[in-house]
Amino acid sequence: MKKLLIVTAILLVAFSAQATRIGMFADADGTLCNLDYAAFAPQMTYVSILVDQDEFPNGITAAEFKIDNYFPDNGGGMVTVTATSQVVIGAMATDFSIAWAEPQTAAVVQIATLTSVGFTADWIGADHVMTIMAGDDCSCIVVTDENFLQYQPSGSTFTWNCSVDCDCPEPVTANENLNWTSLKALY
C-alpha cells in the first residue's frame, strides 16, 4: 500500500507540473525578479509569460491574472501600463485580461511594460513583493492555447528593494522520461 501511495504521488507531481508561468521581471528576457527602487527615475518592469514550448507548440492567444500587492496607491508615484495588444480588459491590481489576434509563439511573451515613477523616496518600501495570482473577477490565472482552451500556469513573484535572496524561481517541469514502466522498475 505504501508503494502505491508513493507511486501515485510521483505520478501526480510528474503530470501536474506546469512549466508555463506568468511573472513580472526587471528585464525583457524574464530572468531578473527584483529591482531597487529609485525615486524620480522612470523604471521599467515587464509582465511576461514564460511559455513551455512543449505545452504550447502553436502559441498562446490570451491570459488572465492579477498582480497582488501592486504598486502603492498613495499618491507617492504613478505607473503607466503599455500592453502588447489593444484587446485588454481590467486593471493589473484586480483582474487583467489580454488577448492577441494571432497566437504568440515566442518562449517569452510580453504582456505589458510597466513604467513606474516615484515622487517620494519611500513610495516602495523594502522587500515589497508583488505576486502574479488569480484575478478577483474570474478567481483564475489562465493562459489559452491557439484553440482557446484554458490552462492554469503558475505565477511568480517580483521583489522591490530586496534584502534577502530574491533569485527567480526555476520553472517546474515534468520528467519527460517518466512513464508507468519506469516507475514499476523502481520497485
Side-chain angles (χ1 to χ4, degrees):
M1 182 66 169
K2 188 175 182 180
K3 286 183 183 179
L4 181 60
L5 289 174
I6 292 171
V7 169
T8 302
I10 291 171
L11 281 173
L12 286 173
V13 169
F15 293 112
S16 66
Q18 300 159 343
T20 297
R21 66 183 163 137
I22 301 175
M24 184 171 156
F25 303 95
D27 65 328
D29 296 329
T31 61
L32 301 173
C33 297
N34 63 77
L35 185 64
D36 288 333
Y37 166 72
F40 305 105
Q43 294 180 286
M44 293 175 55
T45 51
Y46 306 87
V47 180
S48 308
I49 304 170
L50 304 182
V51 180
D52 179 342
Q53 301 283 284
D54 293 330
E55 189 176 15
F56 296 98
N58 298 316
I60 59 172
T61 56
E64 186 169 1
F65 60 94
K66 81 171 183 179
I67 300 177
D68 189 49
N69 201 27
Y70 195 62
F71 294 93
D73 188 18
N74 58 11
M78 66 179 215
V79 180
T80 303
V81 177
T82 307
T84 59
S85 173
Q86 293 180 343
V87 184
V88 296
I89 299 171
M92 291 278 180
T94 56
D95 197 297
F96 184 82
S97 298
I98 186 166
W100 296 275
E102 297 292 325
Q104 305 296 296
T105 58
V108 178
V109 175
Q110 301 297 323
I111 294 173
T113 301
L114 309 179
T115 305
S116 58
V117 179
F119 307 133
T120 63
D122 60 351
W123 179 47
I124 300 175
D127 297 314
H128 183 93
V129 178
M130 297 178 173
T131 306
I132 304 294
M133 60 188 322
D136 295 346
D137 293 340
C138 76
S139 297
C140 65
I141 177 171
V142 172
V143 172
T144 61
D145 68 7
E146 78 282 4
N147 296 315
F148 304 102
L149 295 175
Q150 294 184 353
Y151 296 83
Q152 184 176 3
S154 59
S156 60
T157 60
F158 183 88
T159 306
W160 288 94
N161 304 315
C162 183
S163 64
V164 293
D165 181 23
C166 295
D167 292 335
C168 295
E170 291 294 321
V172 177
T173 57
N175 182 347
E176 294 177 13
N177 298 322
L178 188 63
N179 59 39
W180 182 248
T181 303
S182 63
L183 279 174
K184 287 192 311 186
L186 293 173
Y187 300 95

